Amino acid sequence: MKTQIIKINRNNINKKDIELAANLIKSGNLVAFPTETVYGLGANGLDEDAVKKIYLAKGRPSDNPLILHIADIEELELLVERVPDIGKKLIREFWPGPLTIIFKKSPIVPDIISGGLDTVAIRMPINPIALKLIDLSGVPIAAPSANISGRPSPTRASHVIEDMDGKISMILDGGNTDVGLESTVIDLSTKIPTILRPGAISYEVLRDIIPELLEDGNILDERIRPRSPGQKYRHYAPKSEMILFKGDIEDIVKNIKLQTHEYISQGKKVGIMATKETEEFYNEGLVLVLGSREDKLSISSNLFQTIRSFDHEDVDIILGEAIDLEGMGKAIMNRMLKAAGGKIIKV
Ligand code: TXA
Ligand code: MG
């Protein structure tokens, strides 16, 4: 299949281009599109055959449910059994935006979307290209991240091309995504609301609205069995091994330097995932800077791109600095830990 790639300026959207994409969605094809979090791989969420193509293109396990993306709040009522009061509050506050909410599903949601569960995940993105595409398609768009299963989520169109070229009908290139990490997932289908995946909308911010809010223990501990089906699979993985170091920043740098020297003496190519504050202390290895510890968004928006860069450079091992958990720090550490397969050393 030839994959058509169309550049879209999000500040000046050419309606004709989005119409082309929407027609592809309506006729059961796959279109990758930017959201504020990561690029999504979209299909008509009410068309089982179209949704099957998503699983095929990604190589995704069939028990891993998909998020339905909507552009209009009225669509929500058709897709869910009911919207609890707390859900209405969250929607007022955070939609459109990087928050996915899990509800009890209505019968029109195909089983293939929910992975056999009786719930459905819904999100209204804020990226204008995504909103326009959903709007013109006239259906809820099922969209996982547009990467091959297990690989880092795409934050640029070039990442989507890397993973999906020749497998899907179209890629809308809307530039780099803003947040760089997938949406926060909150489950409202159970007695006590629980965060299943951390994202830009943090636990602290959500707890102000839901005092009893819980968090899945798996978020920062790979040994705990996750509640969300997707979280049990290896994610965001670089091709090489990855090890994280946590502790005081001076100790982290000291240990990464020692390890780097040791690996290099064994003939290995070492990648160091550093921050703006620590970059200057490293004098060996391939040093890539995520961003500043003072600006978590600079780190989140670069994380997956950086992991892919280490792949391109064919490093044998990546040594990464842990960062603090405040605000988006938790979401960043959750992705880093998954990328490292849980390998973290306290120094
Ligand atoms: O930011 C995002 O959410 C991106 C963009 C494209 O919108 N999408 C995304 O989709 O990250 P995906 O499929 O890569 O991740 C969805 C996560 C998975 O961990 C999945 O298991 C979980 O949400 N999920 C979906 N439906 C669920 C459900 N009914 N119950 C529990 N977890 C669910
Ligand atoms: Mg994903």
Side-chain angles (χ1 to χ4, degrees), residues 175-325:
N176 297 358
T177 63
D178 307 318
V179 177
L181 301 180
E182 308 84 345
S183 60
T184 306
V185 176
I186 185 170
D187 189 353
L188 295 188
S189 74
T190 52
K191 232 190 192 141
I192 305 179
T194 306
I195 294 184
L196 303 186
R197 181 175 72 182
I201 297 177
S202 69
Y203 173 74
E204 291 81 7
V205 165
L206 289 166
R207 200 192 39 197
D208 281 345
I209 299 176
I210 314 171
E212 73 273 26
L213 182 65
L214 296 176
E215 279 183 299
D216 189 337
N218 171 266
I219 286 174
L220 292 176
D221 188 346
E222 287 286 292
R223 292 163 302 183
I224 295 174
R225 195 188 146 80
R227 272 183 43 183
S228 181
Q231 299 307 102
K232 68 175 181 266
Y233 296 107
R234 180 94 197 268
H235 261 91
Y236 321 119
K239 290 183 180 137
S240 59
E241 190 186 359
M242 177 165 160
I243 304 174
L244 299 172
F245 294 78
K246 72 170 176 183
D248 289 340
I249 190 65
E250 292 82 16
D251 295 330
I252 292 179
V253 171
K254 203 170 88 195
N255 277 271
I256 291 183
K257 286 179 76 166
L258 278 171
Q259 293 284 328
T260 301
H261 195 72
E262 176 63 27
Y263 281 115
I264 288 177
S265 72
Q266 292 168 15
K268 293 196 167 151
K269 183 166 180 186
V270 182
I272 299 175
M273 210 160 73
T275 46
K276 205 171 141 220
E277 289 77 8
T278 57
E279 173 186 18
E280 59 175 316
F281 299 115
Y282 299 109
N283 45 19
E284 288 182 289
L286 171 70
V287 182
L288 296 183
V289 176
L290 284 176
S292 165
R293 291 171 175 270
E294 303 298 314
D295 173 14
K296 298 266 166 58
L297 193 61
S298 69
I299 295 184
S300 70
S301 60
N302 265 319
L303 177 62
F304 292 147
Q305 154 65 20
T306 304
I307 293 176
R308 281 182 187 254
S309 296
F310 282 126
D311 280 351
H312 295 153
E313 296 285 344
D314 274 323
V315 300
D316 298 303
I317 184 153
I318 301 169
L319 305 177
E321 301 172 359
I323 61 151
D324 75 79
L325 297 176

Side-chain angles (χ1 to χ4, degrees), residues 33-41 58 60 63-67 69 98 100 102-103 113-115 117-123 125 143-147 153 181-185 187 189 196-197 227-232 235-236 335:
F33 61 96
T35 80
E36 69 277 25
T37 58
V38 300
Y39 274 77
L41 181 57
K58 279 182 65 87
R60 182 176 173 109
D63 71 340
N64 190 0
L66 300 172
I67 298 170
H69 296 67
T100 295
I102 296 178
F103 302 93
I113 292 289
S114 55
L117 302 171
D118 64 351
T119 54
V120 62
I122 314 233
R123 148 164 145 80
S145 48
N147 51 286
S153 298
L181 301 180
E182 308 84 345
S183 60
T184 306
V185 176
D187 189 353
S189 74
L196 303 186
R197 181 175 72 182
R227 272 183 43 183
S228 181
Q231 299 307 102
K232 68 175 181 266
H235 261 91
Y236 321 119
R335 305 316 193 272

